[in-house]
Amino acid sequence: MNFRGRHIISIADFSREEILHILQLAGELERRPRPDLLAGRLMATLFFEPSTRTRLSFEAAMHKLGGRVIGFSDPGSSSARKGESLADTIRMVDQYADVVVMRHPRCGSARLASEVSRVPVLNGGDGANQHPTQTFLDLYTIAKDFPQLVAGGPALTVGFAGDLKYGRTVHSLVAALGHFRVDLVLAAPRGLELPEHYIDEARQAGLKVTQVATLQEAVERCDVLYMTRLQEERFPDPLEFDHVKASYRLTATMLAGARQSMKVLHPLPRVNEIAQDVDATVHARYFDQAGNGVPVRQALLGLVLGAL
Ligand code: CP
């Protein structure tokens, strides 16, 4: 399987076999570090939107493989501020770096960047569209607790709760789960439901999709509960945001009705949708999930740079 020079823009561009290959390599890199794998290589991180985990885990991944990093996390400090187009920015950066990781608020921006770039572009999130590298680490995290996801076995029930309309991590993960034996349970505040076309695609892929009215119902039905933050910055109407922000808050008390093995995931950052008392329960997996970003992004960098 050759990934050399490949862009990572949308999870829809990956087959089941390719996803499994990435997860397997991530596991190998976690068990057996390769501190010189990308020595002499340079990664540029272009973050036009805030990030903690995606940018820092990509940078940690590159450093741990012996590579180096340049970039910006504040677009106001780049020449985008002076009106330089994204395409021109990419045409410059691809002369400096061997790989580009980019986050941008506009849907489709990563695809546009890949069309003009001479080096691989890895999408670190484009608007409400896609966040494919998050999806690989989400699948890696689920498979650690539930190996049947990748090894075959009884269907897993994966619930999604919160803002399913604007959450790009949800959109990417729902698409990826179409490759596996999974039942979906969806719990969203009114107006923030998963867009119909994602539901249609999941059903076409053979997934059973159930929409439930309350977060509690999702808690009691799932093996994995994927919580999301309300994406305040994507709400066209602040009044709409105020109306729903208090809903869908998970507390430790609510977990009394969950299966003992049930795991709570969240791409983070959380705001108030998971109470802090959940952190100490056996169900919390979101901090481990964020940590899994390092080996998974190591695998992706090694692959697109032709080192794995
Ligand atoms: N999960 C995630 O994308 O986190 P950041 O916004 O901190 O990168």
Side-chain angles (χ1 to χ4, degrees):
M1 225 173 269
N2 187 3
F3 286 74
R4 187 190 194 109
R6 187 159 167 185
H7 305 291
I8 297 181
I9 305 303
S10 167
I11 202 71
D13 300 335
F14 290 84
S15 68
R16 175 188 160 92
E17 288 65 35
E18 288 171 334
I19 292 171
L20 294 179
H21 185 58
I22 291 163
L23 302 191
Q24 183 200 326
L25 288 177
E28 287 172 15
L29 286 163
E30 187 172 4
R31 287 188 294 277
R32 201 157 43 85
R34 303 276 300 273
D36 299 319
L37 188 72
L38 296 183
R41 307 297 188 93
L42 191 60
M43 176 181 78
T45 52
L46 312 183
F47 276 67
F48 295 86
E49 267 194 341
S51 167
T52 296
R53 281 144 291 272
T54 306
R55 186 172 65 83
L56 294 182
S57 64
F58 261 116
E59 294 190 359
M62 194 63 178
H63 286 299
K64 283 171 181 262
L65 294 174
R68 293 176 179 233
V69 179
I70 58 172
F72 58 79
S73 55
D74 172 13
S77 69
S78 78
S79 286
R81 178 82 181 269
K82 296 182 243 170
E84 185 166 45
S85 69
L86 176 61
D88 282 359
T89 302
I90 297 296
R91 288 188 188 105
M92 293 298 98
V93 174
D94 72 7
Q95 300 190 53
Y96 309 144
D98 302 299
V99 60
V100 172
V101 179
M102 189 182 87
R103 170 172 289 185
H104 197 282
R106 228 174 34 237
C107 296
S109 52
R111 184 76 68 193
L112 184 152
S114 73
E115 285 165 4
V116 299
S117 178
R118 296 182 302 185
V119 301
V121 173
L122 279 61
N123 182 6
D126 62 323
N129 187 34
Q130 281 270 325
H131 195 348
T133 70
Q134 175 75 40
T135 301
F136 291 122
L137 79 88
D138 292 341
L139 292 170
Y140 185 72
T141 304
I142 295 171
K144 274 189 170 180
D145 282 309
F146 300 98
Q148 79 242 44
L149 179 77
V150 294
L156 271 185
T157 302
V158 179
F160 289 88
D163 178 355
L164 309 188
K165 180 177 179 182
Y166 296 110
R168 59 192 170 200
T169 63
V170 172
H171 303 161
S172 291
L173 183 54
V174 165
L177 290 175
H179 292 294
F180 301 98
R181 286 200 65 212
V182 166
D183 295 333
L184 295 184
V185 172
L186 308 177
R190 191 186 301 276
L192 293 178
E193 294 89 355
L194 189 65
E196 277 299 323
H197 68 95
Y198 291 111
I199 296 177
D200 291 344
E201 284 160 19
R203 289 199 168 120
Q204 280 161 22
L207 275 57
K208 190 171 127 202
V209 182
T210 308
Q211 304 198 56
V212 297
T214 64
L215 175 57
Q216 185 65 52
E217 209 177 326
V219 164
E220 290 168 16
R221 294 173 74 133
C222 293
D223 297 301
V224 174
L225 178 63
Y226 195 95
M227 297 287 299
T228 63
R229 174 178 69 91
L230 297 180
Q231 310 273 309
E232 181 174 7
E233 67 275 27
R234 305 198 198 290
F235 271 62
D237 177 358
L239 289 178
E240 189 193 350
F241 176 74
D242 286 343
H243 184 66
V244 297
K245 74 178 177 192
S247 58
Y248 286 77
R249 176 174 164 84
L250 181 67
T251 63
T253 309
M254 293 170 70
L255 290 166
R259 298 170 189 175
Q260 182 66 16
S261 59
M262 193 273 270
K263 301 299 178 210
V264 178
L265 271 56
H266 190 309
L268 304 177
R270 70 171 152 186
V271 184
N272 61 3
E273 61 280 358
I274 299 181
Q276 300 216 348
D277 62 5
V278 176
D279 298 358
T281 71
V282 295
H283 304 287
R285 264 291 179 270
Y286 28 92
F287 295 121
D288 298 324
Q289 179 188 1
N292 289 333
V294 175
V296 168
R297 289 175 170 129
Q298 284 182 314
L300 294 170
L301 290 168
L303 282 165
V304 301
L305 289 170
L308 288 173

